[in-house]
Amino acid sequence: MSKIPVLLNASNNHMQEILKLNQDLVHFLSDLDMASLTELGNMAEMFKVVEVDGKVAAFLIAVRENKPYASVNYKWFLDNYDKFLYVDRVVVSEDYQHMGIGRLIYNEVFNHANSTGVDRITAEIDIKPPNPVSLKFHEAFGFKEVGKQMVAGGKKEVSLQSVQL
């Protein structure tokens, strides 16, 4: 087995594995079913998977401004910025963490933003309950907190983050 990560556009063949991966790590994410995943994938600017030896090891969904996305975090950015690329979720399977896959994905996000004239990338990170690994990861890419909000009926608090290119 080569264990070399390969970044690809997500396809219908990946959907079951993407959904399973989302649900495996749903404590950091919002819940999705196949219909909502398909809808989100269809409005995404970037819908990518990382395969390792033919298996989905990670995925990315990023959405541009002015899409009909009901996420409260996306709406916050929409209310505060005219133009942005919102990283809705980057999910790396626990089996494939610490292999540089997150960096591979974020390098692709930054390259895409630069090549399409988007000068702001946004994301949110859980702070209650805390996700210190994600906070440190985003900080390394230059993200700064631009707001906070309670989500999930007050069960979570997120740090709304942005990086200006």
Side-chain angles (χ1 to χ4, degrees):
M1 300 261 173
S2 64
K3 299 265 186 199
I4 297 172
V6 179
L7 187 67
L8 305 165
N9 288 324
S11 73
N12 287 336
N13 295 337
H14 296 117
M15 296 298 274
Q16 285 294 340
E17 286 183 90
I18 292 168
L19 186 61
K20 181 184 181 320
L21 187 51
N22 190 87
Q23 296 314 100
D24 287 348
L25 297 171
V26 75
H27 57 283
F28 290 122
L29 309 162
S30 57
D31 194 21
L32 289 174
D33 59 22
M34 189 55 76
S36 56
L37 174 60
T38 301
E39 181 181 3
L40 182 54
N42 287 338
M43 77 175 76
E45 173 82 4
M46 299 179 75
F47 189 13
K48 303 278 188 177
V49 296
V50 175
E51 286 186 355
V52 176
D53 296 326
K55 181 178 185 220
V56 173
F59 73 93
L60 154 76
I61 299 175
V63 182
R64 285 290 303 271
E65 72 282 346
N66 297 320
K67 297 291 182 180
Y69 187 26
S71 159
V72 295
N73 297 315
Y74 175 80
K75 287 181 178 179
W76 189 94
F77 291 117
L78 200 55
D79 288 343
N80 288 278
Y81 300 109
D82 292 332
K83 189 175 185 182
F84 60 88
L85 179 61
Y86 170 65
V87 177
D88 181 69
R89 62 194 72 212
V90 171
V91 182
V92 179
S93 167
E94 291 177 344
D95 295 339
Y96 295 96
Q97 292 182 1
H98 310 292
M99 290 177 56
I101 290 174
R103 281 189 307 280
L104 173 73
I105 290 170
Y106 263 81
N107 286 336
E108 182 74 6
V109 169
F110 277 73
N111 288 339
H112 182 83
N114 281 320
S115 70
T116 58
V118 177
D119 64 355
R120 181 178 303 280
I121 301 170
T122 62
E124 83 279 344
I125 299 117
D126 288 356
I127 53 176
K128 288 182 187 170
N131 190 345
V133 172
S134 184
L135 282 169
K136 185 177 178 183
F137 177 85
H138 284 85
E139 182 180 301
F141 275 91
F143 283 83
K144 304 278 188 231
E145 185 171 273
V146 292
K148 291 181 185 178
Q149 68 181 359
M150 298 301 292
V151 297
K155 294 179 186 147
K156 286 185 175 186
E157 184 176 16
V158 295
S159 171
L160 300 152
Q161 303 228 345
S162 172
V163 61
Q164 181 91 31
L165 305 181

